Amino acid sequence: VCGIDSRSNRLAEEEHVSSTDAIDMQVWESEQLVICRDDAVGLRAVIAIDDTTLGPGLGGVRLAAYGDDAAAIREARRLAAAMTLKNAAAELPFGGAKSVILDRGPIADRRVLMHRFGEFVARSGAYIPGVDMGTTTDDLAAVGAAGVEVSCSEEDPSPWTALGVAAAIRAAVAHVEQRSGVDGVRVLVQGAGHVGGALARDLAADGAEVVVADADAARAAALAREVGGRTVAAEAALTTPCDVLAPCAIARVASPATIDGLRCRIVAGAANDTLADRASADLLAARGIVYVPDFVANAGGVIHIDALRSAAGAERLRADVLRIGARVRELLEEADATGRLPLAVAEERARRRIAEHGRTAAAAERVAA
Ligand code: NAI
């Protein structure tokens, strides 16, 4: 298992539905947009390379069905832009990119299709693909066989993602409650999967009171038993009183339709696209709920990829992932000091890093010339 996102096809269905409806195309201008088509193998794909100022665009390959072609393009661009922010916020030497392969029914030969897609990736030379929803390590191996670098290993990134989310939660609790540790803090973990499971174990070991909600009730119960916590029905996840809501299952849990019902002080989790839209960030703030931007909290997976690529040892990787905590503390402090949303502060910090890097690179080029 590898890459930056969940491997669950089931989640894929939920995540792409109408995800782009409210997105203004102009907001998501990409550095490069590649439309790929090969009728011989049934390939229709979009590669969106959002920004390569910091390095090659790192982002997964999503295989999903879309209502129409424009929706696929919008989704690739939007997700690529989110990867730019995630990689920049995590201080990684990567830009942002993402690709989608359109699921148009039965695939005659999946390996051939993926290999052909890899040939298109090879043409751009600025994109490092990884596993995303709907694709597997085997798919990425076929993509890589076309002669491109892929961010793929058999090592599961989820424990690192969970470690980063736990660090984000500890920092947010320290900020909001003015205390250290999570002893007695009630954390509702939505999703008892790879990330949610590891997160629940970590926080419970530190004294947190863990509440688990999962669409798979048996999985939730097993995890709750293991960590000495309790379960609530999946439908009650967003209305159960808790200190921290940790979305680790599906996208867009914080929306204008759900925010009124939330009974938590902090939202910090692993799920990408936790906010349904930007207005949701304002709504959360208006309710006094601190939202830790998903792309800051869940960067453990991409930090893991960087560590594999640079052959950093486990100790350095751990330290790099734990820095997510310091990052969250700083951005919450700046948000308080400036009266802005943590989301706005995090985005601005990421963009500043890109701009500064761009200026330095341009200056170096002038000197070289
Ligand atoms: P997973 O597939 O291992 O676990 C997801 C869990 O959510 C499953 O137990 C599933 O039954 C449950 N679930 C699905 N729909 C639900 C619902 N409506 N209500 C409650 N539970 C529901 O996925 P994984 O790897 O743990 O990832 C979790 C989230 O974190 C996903 O949104 C993923 O995109 C995101 N993420 C994961 C990373 C990783 O390293 N695995 C990295 C960055 C983001």
Side-chain angles (χ1 to χ4, degrees), residues 3-8 10-11 14-15 86 133 156-158 161 190-196 213-216 219 234 248-251 270-272 298 301:
I4 50 173
D5 268 322
S6 163
R7 286 79 48 203
S8 157
R10 183 159 27 83
L11 284 180
E14 291 174 68
E15 292 227 16
K86 184 188 291 201
M133 288 178 295
D156 183 359
S158 308
T161 302
Q190 183 192 35
H194 291 82
V195 179
D214 197 294
D216 180 337
R219 188 177 296 171
C248 297
I250 52 168
N272 289 309
N298 72 10

Side-chain angles (χ1 to χ4, degrees), residues 20-304:
T20 53
D21 291 352
I23 302 299
D24 176 350
M25 290 284 276
Q26 301 214 315
V27 173
W28 303 108
E29 294 289 356
S30 307
E31 187 177 298
Q32 189 180 14
L33 189 66
V34 185
I35 308 292
C36 317
R37 167 187 165 187
D38 186 338
D39 289 340
V41 301
L43 177 71
R44 293 275 199 287
V46 182
I47 302 170
I49 298 171
D50 180 69
D51 192 298
T52 59
T53 309
L54 297 175
L58 179 75
V61 185
R62 186 168 283 198
L63 174 67
Y66 292 90
D68 57 49
D69 296 340
I73 294 169
R74 281 198 301 271
E75 170 119 308
R77 296 175 75 167
R78 186 182 66 83
L79 294 171
M83 288 307 298
T84 299
L85 287 179
K86 184 188 291 201
N87 294 331
E91 299 173 46
L92 296 173
F94 299 123
K98 203 89 166 191
S99 57
V100 301
I101 297 179
L102 282 69
D103 183 351
R104 302 159 67 234
I107 298 170
D109 188 328
R110 192 163 169 128
R111 205 196 59 78
V112 169
L113 179 97
M114 291 295 168
H115 188 275
R116 185 74 184 109
F117 174 70
E119 290 175 349
F120 282 105
V121 174
R123 287 184 191 172
S124 94
Y127 171 40
I128 304 176
V131 169
D132 200 295
M133 288 178 295
T135 56
T136 64
T137 50
D138 283 349
D139 294 333
L140 266 291
V143 172
V148 294
E149 180 185 357
V150 295
S151 67
C152 200
S153 86
E154 289 304 320
E155 232 178 83
D156 183 359
S158 308
W160 299 106
T161 302
L163 184 68
V165 173
I169 288 175
R170 286 189 174 92
V173 167
H175 181 85
V176 170
E177 313 258 352
Q178 298 292 306
R179 51 165 287 181
S180 68
V182 289
D183 193 22
V185 172
R186 185 182 297 171
V187 183
L188 191 144
V189 178
Q190 183 192 35
H194 291 82
V195 179
L199 177 67
R201 282 177 213 108
D202 182 331
L203 297 176
D206 218 4
E209 189 189 317
V210 174
V211 182
V212 188
D214 197 294
D216 180 337
R219 188 177 296 171
L223 180 61
R225 245 191 330 271
E226 185 190 337
V227 302
R230 64 183 179 90
T231 61
V232 291
E235 304 72 44
L238 303 183
T239 50
T240 298
C242 58
D243 299 302
V244 182
L245 171 65
C248 297
I250 52 168
R252 287 176 282 286
V253 295
S255 73
T258 63
I259 288 172
D260 261 357
L262 296 182
R263 296 287 172 269
C264 59
R265 301 187 66 188
I266 295 165
V267 175
N272 289 309
D273 288 343
T274 288
L275 300 181
D277 51 30
R278 290 194 78 83
S280 296
D282 293 308
L283 292 174
L284 283 170
R287 289 236 21 236
I289 298 171
V290 169
Y291 170 63
V292 177
D294 47 12
F295 64 86
V296 176
N298 72 10
V302 284
I303 295 170
H304 174 246

